[in-house]
Amino acid sequence: MSKDLMNKSDYYYDLPKEYIAQTPMIPRDACKMLCVEKNNPFNYSDKIFSGIYDMLKPGDVLVMNNSKVLPARLYGTKVPTGAACEFLMLKQFEQDVWECAVHPGKRLQKGHVVSFGDGVLKGEIIDVLDNGDRKVKFTYDTQTLFEALDIVGKLPLPHYITEELKDSSLYQTEYAKILGSAAAPTAGLHFTKDLMKRLEDKGVIIAYITLHVGIGTFRPVKSENILEHEMHSEWFEISKETAEIISKAKEEGRRVISVGTTSTRTLEACYSKFGDVRACSMDTNIFIYPGYKFGVIDGLITNFHLPESTLIMLVSAFAGYENTMAAYKHAVENKYRFYSFGDAMFIY
């Protein structure tokens, strides 16, 4: 292990493929939950996620990302040749103009048009970006772009999920509201409406932020020195109501518990810029790895992430590197389910 933990290989762990969850747990809160104490390393307890009810206290604030996944994967044909094409919508530049990853890239250049769903939706490539993605202007026969996407689009499941999802709602959180993500904030998939109501009845406060998850969350760290990794940028918004809830909790010494790495990045990006949590909306490319000093969160509910990913680096920054890697080893040995549809970890 390197002393400064700046090597990508420090964050590698061996995972048998059969532990990668291919389908979601039903009911959502019946998955396993590994409880990890920040200040008492290597002391793990195995629970069921519904047991989070007993782990949370009145006055705790749960911060959830209410972004909703777009049906952003599009299969169409090039006009007029009829050649098969695939688009993945990544980020909105302005109304109806999006950054898209396209395939096959060599055959899709500026000025080319692709038709989706027999012309219900069309995309014209108006620029080729430096990173190889395309800037695409969409036109449609429906009233809005989102209505067209509902007709022709598919949810962009991560590459490691190879089974078809028969019910697309299972890849949305129960509280998903604001369309814009290319991937689900998966830590929130474990919450049922009934569990959330029980928590609120107990006195747990639920506050919402919005961060639109980009597909960059799945892009691997390629450089061995993690400081050379170019972090993807994502848009987030914190409302005045949420900022006030969190600020009051911090003043009164109550816990702020982030549901997922996206909520964590939102809160910490705001704190890093302003020194507190306030109403704001902006892009962030914050990269959190060991050595980072957290300013907001006191607890984290998260899934088990890919080896050598920026997400396991974030978890290592919060729980401690050795504590995190030992917890992952415990999860593998106890046959936890990993990644987007997998089990949960509660770090407190």
Side-chain angles (χ1 to χ4, degrees), residues 47-224:
K47 300 181 183 293
I48 300 300
F49 188 79
S50 57
I52 195 73
Y53 177 88
D54 299 315
M55 303 290 292
L56 300 179
K57 300 179 288 190
D60 284 345
V61 177
L62 275 182
V63 182
M64 297 178 164
N65 181 6
N66 65 4
S67 184
K68 190 172 185 179
V69 187
L70 282 167
R73 192 176 295 281
L74 303 169
Y75 298 96
T77 53
K78 186 177 174 183
V79 178
T81 65
C85 305
E86 179 183 348
F87 279 27
L88 180 61
M89 300 167 68
L90 301 177
K91 184 177 180 180
Q92 187 177 30
F93 287 116
E94 56 189 272
Q95 186 175 4
D96 302 335
V97 178
W98 286 71
E99 178 181 347
C100 297
V102 302
H103 180 79
K106 290 182 180 179
R107 298 182 183 177
L108 294 168
Q109 300 299 325
K110 185 175 180 180
H112 290 168
V113 175
V114 175
S115 174
F116 306 98
D118 295 325
V120 171
L121 178 68
K122 290 182 179 178
E124 179 185 356
I125 297 172
I126 58 177
D127 200 4
V128 178
L129 303 177
D130 291 340
N131 63 2
D133 291 338
R134 305 299 194 263
K135 191 173 187 179
V136 178
K137 169 74 173 180
F138 287 101
T139 55
Y140 36 86
D141 289 343
T142 52
Q143 286 189 320
T144 68
L145 172 60
F146 297 136
E147 286 177 288
L149 292 177
D150 280 338
I151 296 171
V152 303
K154 295 185 179 296
L155 289 184
L157 293 178
H159 62 87
Y160 47 75
I161 295 176
T162 57
E163 293 188 19
E164 184 177 353
L165 186 62
K166 294 179 181 178
D167 181 358
S168 61
S169 69
L170 295 174
Y171 192 59
Q172 303 278 16
T173 63
E174 293 281 19
Y175 48 85
K177 185 178 180 181
I178 312 295
L179 274 167
S181 278
T186 52
L189 295 178
H190 306 298
F191 286 89
T192 65
K193 289 179 179 177
D194 177 67
L195 177 58
M196 292 172 67
K197 183 179 186 305
R198 289 175 58 227
L199 288 170
E200 289 185 302
D201 289 345
K202 183 177 183 175
V204 174
I205 301 163
I206 297 177
Y208 297 98
I209 57 88
T210 303
L211 179 140
H212 290 325
V213 187
I215 206 68
T217 193
F218 298 120
R219 285 181 174 155
V221 177
K222 294 182 178 178
S223 53
E224 178 58 22

Side-chain angles (χ1 to χ4, degrees), residues 11-12 21 50 68 89 137 148 172 216 237-238 255 295 302 304:
Y11 301 91
Y12 178 80
S50 57
K68 190 172 185 179
M89 300 167 68
K137 169 74 173 180
Q172 303 278 16
E237 182 171 40
I238 300 174
R255 294 190 300 179
T302 188
F304 293 93

